[in-house]
Amino acid sequence: MSETNETSQASEIGWADFEKVLIVAGTVTRVETFPEARKPAWKVWADFGPYGEKKTSAQVVALYKAEDLVGRQIVGVINFPEKQIGPFRSQFLLTGFPTPDGVVLTAIERPVPNGTRLA
């Protein structure tokens, strides 16, 4: 029998599929509490340069305080459809890696201009 979970072999995609996903660098400009969220989360706004400022809900409160996030460069997917999360409209996906302790944000090794696309 073969496994069909996230740790098993993923389906191959072509380069054209990867190019459809707009993964870009941004800088967090503002963070607010999100008391209406079902799971603990922050409301996060980020500047994506030529793509403008976008907001999201991020379940990263276990590892990051609001003051740790403001000014930090992050990696976001900005071309998914907007998603309604309670009273809040999420406009991008903040990327990270789930761990038993919480989500670890994707890190940018050195500063790049906001809006720079992942290649």
Side-chain angles (χ1 to χ4, degrees):
M1 287 202 256
S2 64
E3 283 186 67
T4 57
N5 63 32
E6 292 176 342
T7 59
S8 66
Q9 190 175 30
S11 300
E12 280 191 4
I13 63 170
W15 183 255
D17 294 316
F18 177 72
E19 286 183 316
K20 292 177 187 174
V21 184
L22 195 51
I23 306 170
V24 299
T27 299
V28 175
T29 58
R30 185 171 82 182
V31 177
E32 295 179 3
T33 58
F34 192 2
E36 304 90 352
R38 277 189 243 152
K39 294 181 181 178
W42 295 117
K43 293 179 184 177
V44 177
W45 284 259
D47 174 7
F48 290 102
Y51 301 104
E53 186 176 71
K54 297 186 180 291
K55 61 186 179 179
T56 194
S57 167
Q59 295 176 3
V60 297
V61 298
L63 296 179
Y64 301 94
K65 297 177 189 147
E67 57 268 22
D68 296 335
L69 296 172
V70 175
R72 179 188 182 109
Q73 272 206 305
I74 51 92
V75 177
V77 177
I78 62 170
N79 65 334
F80 283 140
E82 290 189 10
K83 183 177 180 181
Q84 191 73 38
I85 302 172
F88 191 72
R89 196 112 177 115
S90 181
Q91 300 172 316
F92 77 95
L93 172 70
L94 180 59
T95 64
F97 299 90
T99 73
D101 297 326
V103 174
V104 175
L105 293 178
T106 305
I108 297 175
E109 189 262 332
R110 61 185 71 178
V112 297
N114 289 335
T116 300
R117 189 168 183 175
L118 180 71

